[in-house]
Amino acid sequence: MDKNTVLGFVLIAAILIGYGWWAQPSDEQIAQQREQFVKDSIAAVNKKKEAAKKQIAAQKAKEAALVDSAALFHTAMSGKAQDIQLKNQKLSLTISTQGGTVKKVILNGYTGHNITPKGKGEESKDLLLFDGNDQQLTYTLVAKDQNISTKDLFFTPTNVTDSTVTLTAEAGEGKTLVMNYRLGKDYMLHMDMRATGMAGLFDPNTKQMSVNWNGMCRQQEMGYTFESRYATLTYKEKDGSTDHLSETSETRDEVIEEALDWVAFKDQFFTSIMIAKTDFASNAMMTSIPQAKDSGYLKEYQANLKTFFDPSGQQPTEFEFYYGPNDFQILKNVEEESTFGKELELQKLVYLGWPIVRWINRFFTIYVFDWLSKVFPMGIVLILITLLLKAITFPLVKKSYMSSAKMRVLKPKLEEATKQYDKPEDQMKKQQEMMQLYSKYGVSPLSGCLPMLIQMPIWIAMFNFVPNAIQLRGEKFLWMDDLSTYDPIFQWNSNLPLIGDHLSLTCVLFCVSNLLYSWMTMRQQRDQMVGQQAQQMKMMQWMMFLMPVMFFFMFNDYSSGLNFYYFISLFFSAAIMWTLRKTTNDEKLLQILEARYQENKNNPKKMSGLAARLQAMQEQQAEMQRKREELQRKRKGLGK
């Protein structure tokens, strides 16, 4: 290092030392700086302490709210469940103080078959609709800090009588959740729920509560397959019609977009219904899950709903429950007992068929059935209804038969007059000639068809009415122990394809009578057909004979009452046809037709109605065929 470098470092050091001495504060300035530093430190500490106090206060407030909310039902969160009995002549209910809902329902006067996974148990004089865990109903109130679920609360019962009870859950001083139950004279149970002194715990903008209803539909009848067809979760849209989930397939969490008046867990003959005074809100979720055949249950139902709730307690939340039979007249009267003033239309739970069929059942079958059942046993009622319907339709049946008889006696004359038209290309001309002859004899070949078609709605009406007629349940007649289910003459343990695990005697009788009636009908039709028509009928008869076989596989599971009705109906139909055939004098009938022929001989085209329209169509088709043939001939001529 040379002397210049050393000199540079010395000068730099001198400058730094001199600047430091010159820039240092005085004693007074140092004292002021120390004082300001102390003040700033104290302020920072105080600020941190204030923030910490606010955080602690907020935490304490939150904890206090949670403690207050938990303490709200602290006494109601524990206790011992107690069963409260409400009853009248029709219904026996058990309401549990734990959860405050109905846990057991017994319908008085309806025989219980007590179906279990092990089979049919001993019958009881009263029917158990559900018990214990078969159904759970939970109301959930959404508070600011937590949800309040009624299933977790133990209620204190007061005002207990055979028809009333008041259940109170203590939430704290001046805070209660109260449910009032009132059982009507028949199958209706009214309930209202009100919260008092708890408005501050709820968001004032929230005026809804959740309703979660789960239920296992018990198998009540011997025939699982048949009963399951009529078990379904049903609901009614507000200001709309009723609808239901699938009876056969599984449906999970189906969203119902419309608001609802009521929801029903329906079996074939019995139903649990929940009705909301202020409707169930839109977007409810429904679930229906079929159960195994040997489980003792038919379906698992779930309904997740929302409805009105007033946190201030000024207006209660009200429900009505129906636990009872699917009896059309009883369900119709429930609307009169309801205090909600709604058009409930609960009677639609009893399915009566499509419009024209429903009208027959609604305004004829039900009233006649109810009137006759007051006097006669149910088996006799089915026979009397069959005779009444046969009497009403007899003029139509006779008209149909006489039309066939006229065509039968004219068959030889038609065959003689149209024998020159046996070639396939002459069939149109043959039909025209036959129609001309029918008009001369005053016979309409279509007059026998419509009267028979008119009887079809009656058959379909009874098909829909009998399986839903609870009056047939448990009724015995002849060899049938229960007209509402099948009557097995043979049973086995395994399920065979198409036939199941039994053979129903009434189904066999129905199918045999159907086979006999089909044979008589086809023979009558064959006797009136001419030429190739008769040959075609021979081919069709095998198809007709297959129908009774198909019916056997369809109806083996159906109720003996329905099969018995069809058997009796076909028996009387065959008897009427046989009687008409025996009492019809073919020679005299032919003389009458010959007299008409003489009258109409000069007016061979005298036709009216369907026959006239049919002939017009045939003539139009013949003219179109003639023009096509003429056009083809011209084209061939031009080609040459």
Side-chain angles (χ1 to χ4, degrees), residues 83-255:
D83 291 340
I84 307 298
Q85 305 291 330
L86 301 183
K87 59 184 179 180
N88 57 25
Q89 292 183 347
K90 304 293 182 64
L91 208 59
S92 296
L93 304 178
T94 300
I95 299 176
S96 176
T97 58
Q98 183 178 5
T101 56
V102 178
K103 63 176 288 188
K104 183 177 181 180
V105 172
I106 294 177
L107 302 180
N108 302 327
Y110 289 96
T111 301
H113 294 151
N114 301 319
I115 306 296
T116 67
K118 296 181 180 180
K120 183 177 178 181
E122 292 185 4
E123 292 187 350
S124 57
K125 65 176 183 178
D126 300 319
L127 181 136
L128 177 64
L129 187 61
F130 63 84
D131 185 17
N133 294 325
D134 288 348
Q135 284 200 21
Q136 301 92 37
L137 180 59
T138 303
Y139 308 99
T140 303
L141 313 177
V142 182
K144 292 179 180 179
D145 299 303
Q146 69 173 28
N147 293 341
I148 301 171
S149 180
T150 57
K151 70 178 181 179
D152 300 325
L153 304 180
F154 289 83
F155 292 78
T156 301
T158 57
N159 189 30
V160 180
T161 68
D162 282 347
S163 59
T164 63
V165 63
T166 298
L167 300 177
T168 304
E170 295 291 343
E173 186 176 355
K175 299 179 178 65
T176 58
L177 183 64
V178 181
M179 297 181 182
N180 290 302
Y181 283 98
R182 185 181 73 254
L183 180 61
K185 62 179 181 179
D186 292 323
Y187 301 99
M188 287 288 286
L189 176 68
H190 184 93
M191 189 273 272
D192 64 75
M193 179 190 301
R194 189 192 301 265
T196 59
M198 295 190 294
L201 298 174
F202 298 93
D203 185 342
N205 297 321
T206 301
K207 290 194 173 183
Q208 279 191 336
M209 65 184 296
S210 297
V211 180
N212 299 308
W213 189 19
N214 301 327
M216 299 294 294
C217 181
R218 297 171 65 96
Q219 182 181 344
Q220 302 286 1
E221 316 304 327
M222 184 170 64
Y224 167 87
T225 304
F226 187 66
E227 184 182 5
S228 186
R229 289 192 185 107
Y230 297 91
T232 178
L233 193 158
T234 308
Y235 53 88
K236 180 186 178 296
E237 300 170 359
K238 181 183 178 183
D239 302 322
S241 60
T242 60
D243 203 348
H244 61 271
L245 302 186
S246 172
E247 302 95 332
T248 55
S249 61
E250 180 178 306
T251 305
R252 288 183 181 269
D253 298 333
E254 179 167 322
V255 177

Side-chain angles (χ1 to χ4, degrees), residues 357 360-361 365 369 382 385-386 389 457-467 562 565-566:
V357 172
I360 294 173
N361 285 327
T365 311
F369 192 85
L382 290 174
I385 286 182
T386 305
L389 292 173
I458 296 176
W459 268 63
I460 299 173
M462 295 302 290
F463 176 82
N464 287 288
F465 174 77
V466 172
L562 181 63
Y565 165 76
Y566 281 152

Side-chain angles (χ1 to χ4, degrees), residues 29 50 66 74 106 139 159 210 214 234 241 266 325 475 523 560 564 571 589 593 624 628:
Q29 289 176 329
E50 189 65 26
L66 292 173
H74 178 69
I106 294 177
Y139 308 99
N159 189 30
S210 297
N214 301 327
T234 308
S241 60
K266 178 181 177 294
E475 291 294 321
R523 189 181 68 172
S560 57
F564 181 71
F571 174 81
L589 181 60
L593 295 176
M624 291 175 63
R628 282 196 295 268

Side-chain angles (χ1 to χ4, degrees), residues 419-575:
K419 62 183 180 180
Q420 67 271 29
Y421 301 118
D422 282 341
K423 295 180 180 180
E425 60 271 19
D426 294 335
Q427 290 305 303
M428 186 67 70
K429 294 180 181 179
K430 183 174 184 177
Q431 289 293 329
Q432 290 177 347
E433 182 66 23
M434 289 174 62
M435 295 303 292
Q436 290 286 348
L437 288 171
Y438 281 139
S439 66
K440 291 179 182 179
Y441 285 102
V443 175
S444 174
L446 299 179
S447 62
C449 300
L450 288 179
M452 296 303 295
L453 291 176
I454 292 174
Q455 296 184 77
M456 289 303 297
I458 296 176
W459 268 63
I460 299 173
M462 295 302 290
F463 176 82
N464 287 288
F465 174 77
V466 172
N468 290 293
I470 193 172
Q471 294 87 346
L472 294 176
R473 185 179 185 273
E475 291 294 321
K476 301 178 185 294
F477 185 69
L478 299 178
W479 66 89
M480 294 166 278
D481 292 331
D482 187 345
L483 289 171
S484 68
T485 188
Y486 56 80
D487 55 321
I489 50 174
F490 296 109
Q491 283 186 291
W492 46 90
N493 294 327
S494 59
N495 283 319
L496 299 180
L498 300 178
I499 192 173
D501 59 0
H502 66 274
L503 183 65
S504 176
L505 178 57
T506 51
C507 179
V508 174
L509 293 175
F510 159 49
C511 293
V512 170
S513 61
N514 193 6
L515 191 65
L516 174 63
Y517 183 73
S518 298
W519 175 76
M520 294 178 65
T521 302
M522 287 186 294
R523 189 181 68 172
Q524 176 178 303
Q525 292 175 348
R526 188 172 61 247
D527 289 345
Q528 70 190 35
M529 291 182 176
V530 179
Q532 291 186 355
Q533 289 181 339
Q535 297 299 322
Q536 293 173 356
M537 187 62 192
K538 290 180 180 180
M539 297 175 61
M540 290 182 62
Q541 69 181 0
W542 296 109
M543 297 178 61
M544 296 295 293
F545 284 141
L546 285 176
M547 290 300 295
V549 178
M550 294 174 60
F551 281 152
F552 170 76
F553 294 114
M554 290 174 57
F555 284 81
N556 191 47
D557 271 328
Y558 274 62
S559 68
S560 57
L562 181 63
N563 282 321
F564 181 71
Y565 165 76
Y566 281 152
F567 164 64
I568 294 297
S569 179
L570 287 168
F571 174 81
F572 284 122
S573 294

